[in-house]
Amino acid sequence: MKKRLFVLLLAVVLLLSAGCSQTKVDTVETQTVAKQLDIWHYLGNKGQQEELNAVVEEYNQSQSENHANLIYIPFDDMLKKISAAIVEDTLPDIVIIAVSDHAYYASTGIFADLTDKFDTSGYYADSIASCTYNGRLYGVPFGANCLALFYNTRMLEQAGLQPPETWDELRGAARILTNDGVYGFGFSNIQSEEGTFNDLVMIYAAGADETHLDNEAGISAYSFVRDLMDDGSMSVNVINATQAEIMEQFGREELAMMINGSWQVPVLQLDFPDTPYNVALLPKGKQRASVLGGENYAVIAGKNEDGALDFIRYVTGKQTLHSLMSNFGYISADKAVAETQFLQDPKMQMFVQQMEFARVRGPNAEWLAISKAISGSFTDVITRKVSPEQAAKEAQNIIDALP
């Protein structure tokens, strides 16, 4: 009897153990393990980082296939980091990269071809051009911005002036507004892409472009800047000033007018709430013009391409995109979304209007060298090292010698 009872109990234990083991196996077999989705970016503004982090967290909670992971790389280190990662085979799944740098890295073959994989209809043409190389789509716009004219409303009113519409009006107003430690006009010409970004306003408005400078239109762009210097309306220190530093000078009312970007509006409101200002379209040279800024998403070829596209489609959904771009102080590259942004903010609405005239830099795989030639040549004109004619010629020679 005892033997039979022991055998029965042993059979029950074995049965229960087998059942537990089977349950454990079933759990493992049905469990979904999210794929890591690393995203490099250089967006260092605290508020922007918080907004981006919130959207990434929303994405992670919305699905279980991928787990997006933001990794911040300082702006000055980003290009070096990407170049090193190409050699070491440690690239992430997505990079958020400056529009001006996109073509170079697309030319290296590290970006996945997204042609026919993402709907770009309804986007600003120049935003899509910034993601395009040799007729193929190698990215998706993250967000856009552009440059416009900021002006101190009190100073202009006291001088009996209206916001200038043309270069001649800008030059005349800048002369009148220059007095008592206040310069009439300023823009960043620091020796980097930041400076070139501003220089191109003059080049495009003159009717020239970044690879054709040694002509009447290109020379007129340099001449306009030299005229401002000869009038004493602009400080030579613009060659050392970042866009943020130009903004601070304007906020302290040391500048009556400046060229700057949409991202400065929330900063001015926070740091210089008592400075009276407004925003206008950039004055016309031969034509209206601005310069396209912002970033693009690029998917790294051979990594988690499907997951990367899933993430990008999520964050470019119209509702999410509207919220993210508006909180960033950016303009959506999707025109339908842009038209619904900042409806109660006349200053930011002006940037949405200015986007219609914003041109892409390049795209060109040799952009870094082109950019250096442009910012250097404008510095030479501002410091009176060379004439406008000589500056145009020297920059053209450098550009013509590129591959």
Side-chain angles (χ1 to χ4, degrees):
M1 181 68 179
K2 290 182 179 180
K3 184 175 180 181
R4 287 180 61 193
L5 180 60
F6 174 80
V7 171
L8 179 61
L9 289 173
L10 180 59
V12 170
V13 170
L14 291 174
L15 180 61
L16 289 174
S17 297
C20 291
S21 298
Q22 184 62 45
T23 301
K24 183 176 181 180
V25 170
D26 287 345
T27 300
V28 171
E29 288 177 351
T30 59
Q31 184 178 14
T32 300
V33 179
K35 296 178 182 177
Q36 184 80 352
L37 194 65
D38 288 335
I39 305 167
W40 287 2
H41 73 98
Y42 59 73
L43 299 162
N45 178 281
K46 182 179 178 181
Q48 291 179 340
Q49 287 189 354
E50 290 174 352
E51 293 295 334
L52 193 54
N53 281 328
V55 170
V56 167
E57 183 59 30
E58 289 172 8
Y59 171 74
N60 286 338
Q61 292 179 1
S62 73
Q63 48 74 58
S64 58
E65 292 293 321
N66 304 288
H67 181 84
N69 178 41
L70 281 175
I71 301 170
Y72 170 69
I73 310 291
F75 177 79
D76 291 340
D77 297 334
M78 177 61 89
L79 299 186
K80 292 180 287 186
K81 182 76 172 177
I82 293 174
S83 297
I86 293 172
V87 176
E88 298 165 0
D89 193 24
T90 55
L91 286 165
D93 301 284
I94 299 173
V95 292
I96 299 176
I97 193 169
V99 293
S100 58
D101 295 322
H102 200 111
Y104 169 73
Y105 283 104
S107 74
T108 68
I110 66 169
F111 294 162
D113 187 342
L114 304 184
T115 308
D116 300 325
K117 294 182 179 180
F118 187 88
D119 182 10
T120 60
S121 61
Y123 277 66
Y124 288 103
D126 277 56
S127 289
I128 296 304
S130 74
C131 304
T132 304
Y133 181 72
N134 284 345
R136 307 294 292 178
L137 185 69
Y138 287 98
V140 174
F142 168 82
N145 55 55
C146 61
L147 299 170
L149 182 74
F150 290 68
Y151 62 93
N152 186 297
T153 53
R154 182 194 299 121
M155 291 181 184
L156 266 69
E157 288 171 4
Q158 290 176 347
L161 297 170
Q162 295 295 317
E165 288 277 342
T166 66
W167 276 6
D168 286 342
E169 290 179 6
L170 175 61
R171 184 183 178 189
R175 277 200 302 261
I176 293 170
L177 295 166
T178 299
N179 56 71
D180 299 328
V182 175
Y183 282 100
F185 180 72
F187 70 97
S188 171
N189 184 240
I190 197 165
Q191 300 304 287
S192 69
E193 180 61 27
E194 195 170 347
T196 303
F197 187 51
N198 289 263
D199 297 333
L200 287 168
V201 168
M202 317 302 175
I203 291 172
Y204 294 156
D209 65 56
E210 57 271 280
T211 57
H212 298 90
L213 300 171
D214 191 14
N215 51 43
E216 182 179 353
I219 292 168
S220 70
Y222 290 104
S223 296
F224 176 62
V225 173
R226 172 59 68 83
D227 289 342
L228 291 167
M229 295 303 301
D230 290 345
D231 292 344
S233 302
M234 188 169 71
S235 170
V236 70
N237 289 326
V238 297
I239 66 171
N240 299 313
T242 64
Q243 291 171 110
E245 289 166 340
I246 291 291
M247 179 274 296
E248 290 169 358
Q249 293 172 26
F250 180 82
R252 294 193 299 265
E253 301 193 62
E254 297 167 2
L255 284 177
M257 298 180 290
M258 69 169 177
I259 292 176
N260 224 314
S262 54
W263 60 91
Q264 304 291 17
V265 171
V267 180
L268 279 166
Q269 291 171 343
L270 180 64
D271 294 348
F272 301 96
D274 298 327
T275 298
Y277 79 96
N278 212 333
V279 180
L281 295 179
L282 288 166
K284 290 185 289 186
K286 183 178 179 181
Q287 60 191 18
R288 285 256 190 237
S290 187
V291 187
L292 180 70
E295 290 79 30
N296 297 328
Y297 295 105
V299 176
I300 302 300
K303 304 288 281 189
N304 185 2
E305 294 184 30
D306 290 340
L309 264 175
D310 185 68
F311 173 80
I312 292 171
R313 290 190 182 107
Y314 178 88
V315 294
T316 55
K318 293 191 184 299
Q319 185 174 348
T320 301
L321 185 61
H322 183 284
S323 175
L324 181 62
M325 292 297 99
S326 298
N327 292 334
F328 252 62
Y330 271 28
I331 299 161
S332 167
D334 183 332
K335 294 178 71 171
V337 174
E339 289 167 358
T340 66
Q341 290 183 263
F342 312 116
L343 297 180
Q344 306 303 317
D345 188 337
K347 294 183 178 72
M348 290 300 296
Q349 264 291 305
M350 192 57 65
F351 283 99
V352 176
Q353 294 180 39
Q354 187 77 76
M355 276 292 293
E356 294 293 339
F357 308 99
R359 288 180 52 178
V360 63
R361 289 164 279 174
N364 195 304
E366 301 297 329
W367 182 254
L368 290 177
I370 294 170
S371 175
K372 185 176 180 180
I374 290 172
S375 62
S377 60
F378 270 88
T379 292
D380 288 345
V381 167
I382 290 169
T383 58
R384 298 183 175 83
K385 181 178 178 181
V386 300
S387 68
E389 293 79 7
Q390 189 64 25
K393 183 178 182 61
E394 291 179 359
Q396 189 69 60
N397 288 339
I398 293 172
I399 292 167
D400 287 346
L402 295 173

